[in-house]
Amino acid sequence: MRIGDITTPFGRRPAKLALIKRQIDVNDAPRNRVVDKWKVFRDVCEARSLLGLNDRPLAVLNALLSFYPDADLMEGQGLVVFPSNAQLSVRAHGISGATLRRALAALVDAGLIFRRDSPNGKRYARRDQDGDVETAFGFSLLPLLTRANELALLAQQVAAEARSLRISRERLTLLRRDLRKLISAALEEAAHGDWAGFEDRYIGILSRLPRSACQSDVDAAVEALARLMDDVSNALEKHLKTSIVTGNDHHDEQHIQNSNTESSIELEPASERMQEEKSAPGQKSTSVGLKAFSLGLVLRACPQLADYGPGGTIANWRDLMSAAVVVRSMLGVSPSAYQDACEAMGPENAAISIACILERSGHINSAGGYLRSLTAKTRQGEFSLGPALMALLKANGQPSSLRAG
């Protein structure tokens, strides 16, 4: 199509070359299709950020489409609507004349409508002898028909970006929650490590996040918080290992050592081994460092603990022990009670005990007192995690095998 072939006026405003090119592209585009006008409108609403539109132009476009009599846009039906400014204002929720003119100009600039003005600048239709519209002057909706596929792709792009941002924000929220719990628990216990420094880093990362953060801002914050989470987890693991080693130095003569941490030793009080290891009256025995059950079995028996792991999941024993520290604080178990349990049971089994208590928290009045009772029974050789896990597996509808794996 040549520029000289353009017969549609651009209105009384000076024509811009970009608008002239856009009209040529629209007129040259294939139009032998039918499009639901309200679907196109929804796509425009979804893609409004890319089109540079706000609520007012969208309200005016909605009003213009309401003057088009059919539900589908098709070239053969005529695509020019010619309402007066007063009629448009009413259907656009009563916006002022100045706002209406600005909104129409924005729609033209966005390439969603064309002006088709009459010689005197008025909008009207000339009808034939049968009463059918022969020539109409007003606003052409042809761009909505020819650009329907493009607008649908823009809407999909905006939706994909919004979904990506939503996922990043969810990850940011989980990291913020988990770090807040871990740092607070460590500060409460006066754990070894630069927890004040971790706190400063945490606050600094969040303070740099804008109120209306874009995708890149959120991704940068998530990356920084993920690095902080690794440092906090390593420091917490180091603290737990140091605490257990220190406790072992005071009870070496009472501890039962086992170099195979993946062994499947059954902690049943009725077994002959336990009966032989029971101390004489007034004498205590302890069992430290025995990881008797597989991680998968523990998580099947105690699924609630996973909610408190880093990122809402538990992938290894370090994650399980970190989650147990968070739950310990949440249940009101004192640091000393948990430390005693770690010394008596070993850190893994103490964490499993916390997980079991969490599953039964609705039936336990004092989690701290309950854990101290289990610790005392462990030292006397009268407590086993086996029956507790078996009961929870049955309650959760899981197979009750306690083999390590």
Side-chain angles (χ1 to χ4, degrees):
M1 179 178 182
R2 295 180 296 107
I3 294 179
D5 295 333
I6 298 178
T7 58
T8 301
F10 289 91
R12 287 169 287 183
R13 295 195 310 164
K16 298 180 181 179
L17 292 180
L19 295 179
I20 296 174
K21 181 181 183 302
R22 188 175 296 137
Q23 182 172 353
I24 294 173
D25 294 339
V26 167
N27 285 327
D28 286 343
R31 300 189 292 270
N32 54 343
R33 58 178 303 186
V34 177
V35 177
D36 185 336
K37 65 179 181 180
W38 297 120
K39 181 183 183 304
V40 176
F41 178 71
R42 288 193 296 270
D43 289 339
V44 172
C45 292
E46 289 287 337
R48 63 182 182 177
S49 60
L50 298 180
L51 296 170
L53 301 176
N54 57 30
D55 293 342
R56 295 301 176 84
L58 294 177
V60 173
L61 181 59
N62 179 78
L64 287 172
L65 288 171
S66 70
F67 285 101
Y68 184 77
D70 298 322
D72 296 325
L73 298 176
M74 59 181 69
E75 186 181 11
Q77 297 295 326
L79 293 172
V80 177
V81 292
F82 41 90
S84 66
N85 282 356
Q87 291 172 319
L88 272 178
S89 178
V90 170
R91 295 201 186 183
H93 312 296
I95 63 176
S96 66
T99 303
L100 176 62
R101 288 189 292 273
R102 286 194 297 270
L104 289 170
L107 292 173
V108 172
D109 291 340
L112 298 178
I113 62 173
F114 285 154
R115 296 180 186 273
R116 184 177 176 83
D117 287 347
S118 64
N120 62 2
K122 301 296 183 179
R123 301 173 204 141
Y124 62 88
R126 182 182 298 116
R127 301 179 183 274
D128 58 20
Q129 293 179 351
D130 297 328
D132 296 329
V133 175
E134 185 177 48
T135 305
F137 299 98
F139 297 103
S140 173
L141 303 176
L142 179 61
L144 294 177
L145 174 64
T146 57
R147 298 182 64 191
N149 288 339
E150 176 193 352
L151 294 172
L153 291 175
L154 291 177
Q156 292 174 12
Q157 177 183 339
V158 171
E161 292 174 354
R163 181 178 181 275
S164 177
L165 180 59
R166 184 170 62 254
I167 292 174
S168 296
R169 286 185 179 275
E170 289 174 354
R171 189 181 178 200
L172 176 66
T173 299
L174 290 174
L175 284 169
R176 289 177 60 177
R177 184 195 69 183
D178 295 342
L179 280 168
R180 181 70 278 162
K181 289 179 179 179
L182 290 176
I183 295 175
S184 297
L187 290 173
E188 178 186 345
E189 293 188 27
H192 299 294
D194 185 18
W195 299 106
F198 292 146
E199 177 84 5
D200 291 340
R201 283 175 59 187
Y202 175 81
I203 295 175
I205 293 170
L206 296 182
S207 65
R208 293 192 295 270
L209 193 64
R211 181 179 297 272
S212 299
C214 62
Q215 181 75 51
S216 59
D217 295 328
V218 176
D219 288 343
V222 166
E223 184 178 354
L225 289 178
R227 289 195 298 267
L228 178 58
M229 175 61 79
D230 289 339
D231 295 341
V232 167
S233 298
N234 291 335
L236 185 60
E237 181 182 13
K238 182 178 180 181
H239 165 71
L240 291 174
K241 289 183 177 179
T242 302
S243 299
I244 298 307
V245 170
T246 303
N248 288 347
D249 290 341
H250 297 290
H251 301 282
D252 279 344
E253 70 282 359
Q254 299 174 354
H255 290 174
I256 302 174
Q257 302 294 339
N258 189 334
S259 61
N260 180 11
T261 60
E262 299 294 337
S263 63
S264 57
I265 299 175
E266 293 288 335
L267 301 181
E268 300 294 339
S271 66
E272 294 181 2
R273 179 181 56 79
M274 275 297 187
Q275 296 296 336
E276 293 174 358
E277 290 180 356
K278 285 186 178 180
S279 305
Q283 189 177 13
K284 297 182 179 180
S285 65
T286 58
S287 176
V288 178
L290 301 178
K291 190 193 304 179
F293 313 103
S294 72
L295 180 63
L297 184 145
V298 174
L299 294 179
R300 291 197 303 274
C302 308
Q304 294 186 47
L305 189 67
D307 295 337
Y308 302 90
T313 60
I314 292 178
N316 48 51
W317 284 100
R318 183 184 72 178
D319 291 348
L320 184 139
M321 290 188 287
S322 298
V325 171
V326 175
V327 173
R328 189 278 306 162
S329 177
M330 183 189 72
L331 294 177
V333 177
S334 66
S336 60
Y338 188 60
Q339 179 67 28
D340 289 344
C342 289
E343 293 176 1
M345 306 176 185
E348 293 89 355
N349 287 336
I352 296 173
S353 298
I354 289 291
C356 293
I357 293 174
L358 175 64
E359 291 291 325
R360 299 283 298 168
S361 58
H363 306 278
I364 298 174
N365 293 328
S366 172
Y370 192 83
L371 182 64
R372 286 191 182 277
S373 174
L374 296 182
T375 301
K377 290 181 179 180
T378 299
R379 288 198 170 111
Q380 295 297 331
E382 298 175 354
F383 171 67
S384 165
L385 280 171
L389 289 174
M390 180 179 293
L392 291 173
L393 284 170
K394 290 181 178 179
N396 294 334
Q398 298 284 340
S400 58
S401 173
L402 290 181
R403 294 178 301 167

